[in-house]
Amino acid sequence: MATTNNVTELILLGFSLNPGVQKTVSVMFLLMYTAIVLGNSLIVVTIMADKGLTSPMYFFLSYLSLVEICYCSVTAPKLILDSFIERKTISVKGCITQIFFLHFFGGTEIFLLTVMAYDRYVAICKPLHYTVIMSRRTRGLLVGAAWGGGLLHSVGQTFLIFQLPFCGPKVLDHYFCDVHPVLKLACSDTFLIGVLIIANGGSISVISFTVLLASYVIILHSLRTQTSEGRRKALSTCASHVAVVGLFFIPCSFVYMRPCVTFPADKIVAVFYTVVTPLLNPIIYSFRNAEVKNAMRRLMRRKVIWQEK
């Protein structure tokens, strides 16, 4: 007899069953989410408005900041709003939609980080040909490929979840919908689907990590022939990128490159790749960068002059 869907909504347990703890977590998320939106929006506006930030690196950075805003917006607002609701629910369709956008923006971020590693490789190892190789057309194609790759990854993950029957239980022990917690609620054998989900996410992680590793091995090898000042600048830029990659890839690998089981620590680990990385990106990439800080000062001065007029 075929299993039919008779569950139309799921109950999210959030971070804690204690209302006080849940409200405290929600306030922290509200503060971090506000900082993420303001910080990354400032980066996007600054890069778009300042004619001095025309390097391909800043072009990719503006898109990364945009993706960070979208990525965090998939999960944080729901958690914040749920703190004011006694019964925290989400429809099954809403849950699947959340999974789609979570993996769409997350996959796009992985591909953008890989593209940015390639950009650093070209800038450091082939500086004389940098502007030719990273032309406007090439930059557009690379960003388009990152969005397209994120879409394909997300469609694959969502399709595997969409066909599952849900007939109870309907309590999701997480603060947002994701593939592993949702798989536990399915009323059918999910072994094969679990393997396909791991293969989908794992292949992207392995390919991206391989490209990233190869890029930085070549970069480090090429730095031996550069001046001390050139090495210092290149290492500073690469260190920022490696920090972001580590903060994003390590937690994601812990969650998605393992058998489809859930652990109590998953909620804490998820905070790193859904909130902490988008929060630190403006600091790591931009507020330590002299060119970006000067561009922000020019933007603020222009705003003050415009208001005075």
Side-chain angles (χ1 to χ4, degrees):
M1 184 175 177
T3 305
T4 57
N5 290 336
N6 58 15
V7 172
T8 58
E9 67 176 17
L10 302 175
I11 299 172
L12 296 169
L13 293 185
F15 264 97
S16 173
L17 295 177
N18 186 316
V21 174
Q22 184 68 26
K23 288 185 184 300
T24 301
V25 171
S26 297
V27 170
M28 292 173 59
F29 264 70
L30 176 60
L31 295 174
M32 290 190 290
Y33 180 63
T34 303
I36 289 166
V37 172
L38 293 178
N40 284 286
S41 296
L42 180 59
I43 292 172
V44 174
V45 172
T46 301
I47 292 173
M48 290 179 63
D50 195 279
K51 296 180 180 179
L53 301 178
T54 57
S55 167
M57 178 179 71
Y58 298 117
F59 176 80
F60 295 129
L61 179 58
S62 65
Y63 277 97
L64 179 66
S65 295
L66 176 62
V67 170
E68 296 286 28
I69 295 170
C70 298
Y71 185 49
C72 187
S73 298
V74 176
T75 57
K78 172 68 175 168
L79 173 68
I80 295 166
L81 292 174
D82 279 349
S83 66
F84 302 100
I85 303 172
E86 185 176 349
R87 193 166 182 266
K88 305 166 182 60
T89 62
I90 184 171
S91 67
V92 172
K93 290 182 179 178
C95 186
I96 294 172
T97 301
Q98 190 176 53
I99 291 174
F100 172 81
F101 284 108
L102 180 75
H103 286 268
F104 174 42
F105 294 121
T108 302
E109 180 169 353
I110 288 176
F111 288 118
L112 271 176
L113 290 172
T114 307
V115 166
M116 291 174 76
Y118 173 70
D119 172 70
R120 290 300 83 206
Y121 156 73
V122 177
I124 295 170
C125 299
K126 300 182 179 181
L128 299 178
H129 304 285
Y130 179 53
T131 55
V132 176
I133 296 174
M134 300 303 293
S135 64
R136 186 181 296 273
R137 181 174 179 273
T138 302
R139 281 179 270 167
L141 289 173
L142 288 173
V143 169
W147 285 100
L151 179 61
L152 288 175
H153 163 66
S154 180
V155 168
Q157 299 288 73
T158 309
F159 174 76
L160 293 170
I161 295 294
F162 185 77
Q163 61 181 334
L164 290 174
F166 297 99
C167 53
K170 58 179 184 178
V171 177
L172 194 72
D173 189 12
H174 214 304
Y175 67 94
F176 64 88
C177 290
D178 204 357
V179 288
H180 289 181
V182 171
L183 274 179
K184 289 182 65 178
L185 304 183
C187 301
S188 63
D189 183 11
T190 60
F191 176 77
L192 179 58
I193 291 177
V195 171
L196 293 174
I197 285 174
I198 295 171
N200 184 357
S203 60
I204 290 174
S205 299
V206 170
I207 292 171
S208 299
F209 183 76
T210 301
V211 173
L212 287 163
L213 184 62
S215 298
Y216 285 111
V217 167
I218 297 171
I219 287 171
L220 290 173
H221 180 74
S222 68
L223 288 178
R224 296 185 305 171
T225 60
Q226 295 196 17
T227 63
S228 58
E229 180 64 18
R231 283 198 297 270
R232 187 190 66 78
K233 284 179 135 183
L235 287 173
S236 176
T237 304
C238 291
S240 299
H241 193 256
V242 169
V244 173
V245 168
L247 284 169
F248 189 75
F249 266 83
I250 293 174
C252 281
S253 299
F254 173 79
V255 172
Y256 297 111
M257 293 184 66
R258 71 172 197 230
C260 290
V261 293
T262 57
F263 298 115
D266 285 352
K267 296 179 187 179
I268 304 299
V269 173
V271 173
F272 280 91
Y273 61 82
T274 59
V275 178
V276 174
T277 301
L279 179 64
L280 294 181
N281 266 2
I283 300 171
I284 293 173
Y285 267 123
S286 303
F287 299 147
R288 291 177 63 250
N289 185 300
E291 289 184 354
V292 175
K293 286 192 290 187
N294 291 334
M296 287 179 178
R297 293 191 189 100
R298 289 193 294 270
L299 181 65
M300 295 302 174
R301 280 198 295 267
R302 274 186 292 182
K303 183 179 179 182
V304 170
I305 294 171
W306 183 80
Q307 288 177 340
E308 289 176 351
K309 290 181 179 180

